[in-house]
Amino acid sequence: MNTELLHKFFAGKASNEEILKIKSWTEQSDENLQELISERKIYDTIQLNIHNPLTVVSEVTIDEQPVRRFSMNSFAKEFLKIASVVLITILASWMLFNNNKINPNELAMQTIKVPAGQRINVVLPDGTSVWVNSKSTLTYPVAFNTEQRNVYLEGQAYFDVAKNKDVPFIVNTQEGSVKALGTAFDVISLSDDNVFETMLLEGSVEVSLSTDLSRKVILIPNQKATVSEGDFSITTVEDQNPYEWRNGLVSFRNKKFKEIMTILEKTYDIDIELKDANVGDQMYTGKFRISDGIQYALDVLSLYKKIDYKIDYENRIIHVKSSR
């Protein structure tokens, strides 16, 4: 099978005729199916490494004094980290093949759940690119209908929406929805914590409340809409470090140690207990690659102000205290 056509299919840009051609080809032999899976792995590896170069600097500035560490991940290590992405995309392809009729109004829904400490890039059927953050769930159809492009989110995701002025793109959450024609934005929807935020990077979006669809606001770039007590508050975002997660980074500017620990808790789904007050107020500016892990982050932070930490794996808690 032509590699260019397979990559076109993986990118969600193949026509119905091309999809049927690939489906017929995979059904001809097990070897063809294995070739599809192998080419999918290669495609996903290429896409991941475009966004995640193998050499990254971990850099922390502590009270204006820079401390740097360099981390180089091998190709093999990065390849292993995308196993879940490969599995999800192959399953999505297989689901598409097994729909007897390629009718956008009848195709199945695909759900992606991202584990703690990871993120996944998904290219939707219309070409929209979505980065789904850790502990988040994205549900979307295998193909969109001709009237609306609806997806469903619990958690956090960054959307770079493919332009189509005739078919609005809508992110639905329990708390509200975000409507866009072609734009880039970050959405946080945590139903358990009653959190609903939208930060716009490019274009424009319309944000509305699920409890009252008449309540809506229009954002311009670098604005954030936050729902608080049933109403919107609009703020200008000057620090975009918190949104670097989509690039695989924990990034922060002038944050106290205890605030950074809160970020790491959410990223890795683990509790961090500060055993004494001396360790909590030190100010830091820096960034870490998420894939380097929480122990690496703690080791870098401890280069300036010495800390000791102990990981309780059974109870998923880290105890942190000042070194004596």
Side-chain angles (χ1 to χ4, degrees), residues 112-120 130-137 153-158 186-188 242 245-246 266-267 290:
I112 293 177
K113 295 183 179 181
V114 184
Q118 298 186 34
R119 76 200 198 290
I120 290 177
V130 187
W131 280 102
V132 189
N133 205 358
S134 65
K135 300 170 59 181
S136 301
T137 300
L153 174 69
E154 170 63 28
Q156 184 174 21
Y158 169 84
D186 186 285
V187 179
I188 302 176
W245 66 266
R246 70 183 186 276
K266 293 180 179 179
T267 301
I290 294 173

Side-chain angles (χ1 to χ4, degrees), residues 173-312:
T173 77
Q174 183 169 319
E175 296 78 16
S177 63
V178 183
K179 179 180 179 181
L181 296 177
T183 187
F185 57 95
D186 186 285
V187 179
I188 302 176
S189 175
L190 304 174
S191 55
D192 290 343
D193 298 329
N194 294 319
V195 173
F196 179 44
E197 295 181 357
T198 301
M199 201 285 278
L200 180 66
L201 285 85
E202 300 175 12
S204 64
V205 294
E206 178 185 273
V207 186
S208 59
L209 295 178
S210 58
T211 54
D212 184 354
L213 296 179
S214 66
R215 303 290 297 277
K216 57 185 65 176
V217 295
I218 304 293
L219 298 183
I220 61 175
N222 297 322
Q223 281 189 336
K224 179 174 72 173
T226 303
V227 174
S228 177
E229 297 181 355
D231 203 356
F232 288 110
S233 63
I234 310 299
T235 55
T236 299
V237 177
E238 297 180 354
D239 179 13
Q240 294 196 6
N241 280 281
Y243 303 98
E244 285 293 323
W245 66 266
R246 70 183 186 276
N247 296 319
L249 300 173
V250 173
S251 186
F252 44 89
R253 181 194 303 167
N254 295 328
K255 292 290 186 182
K256 292 182 179 180
F257 183 87
K258 57 187 176 183
E259 294 174 316
I260 299 170
M261 293 303 100
T262 298
I263 296 172
L264 295 180
E265 282 183 318
K266 293 180 179 179
T267 301
Y268 296 102
D269 192 24
I270 194 168
D271 292 328
I272 300 176
E273 179 182 291
L274 302 184
K275 303 296 287 186
D276 59 71
N278 295 330
V279 76
D281 293 329
Q282 185 73 54
M283 301 293 290
Y284 295 82
T285 294
K287 56 187 175 183
F288 303 104
R289 181 194 281 274
I290 294 173
S291 62
D292 284 336
I294 194 168
Q295 290 179 262
Y296 175 81
L298 290 171
D299 288 342
V300 174
L301 291 169
S302 69
L303 290 178
Y304 180 78
K305 186 177 180 63
K306 297 298 182 181
I307 61 171
D308 290 326
Y309 64 88
K310 181 179 180 181
I311 303 178
D312 182 344

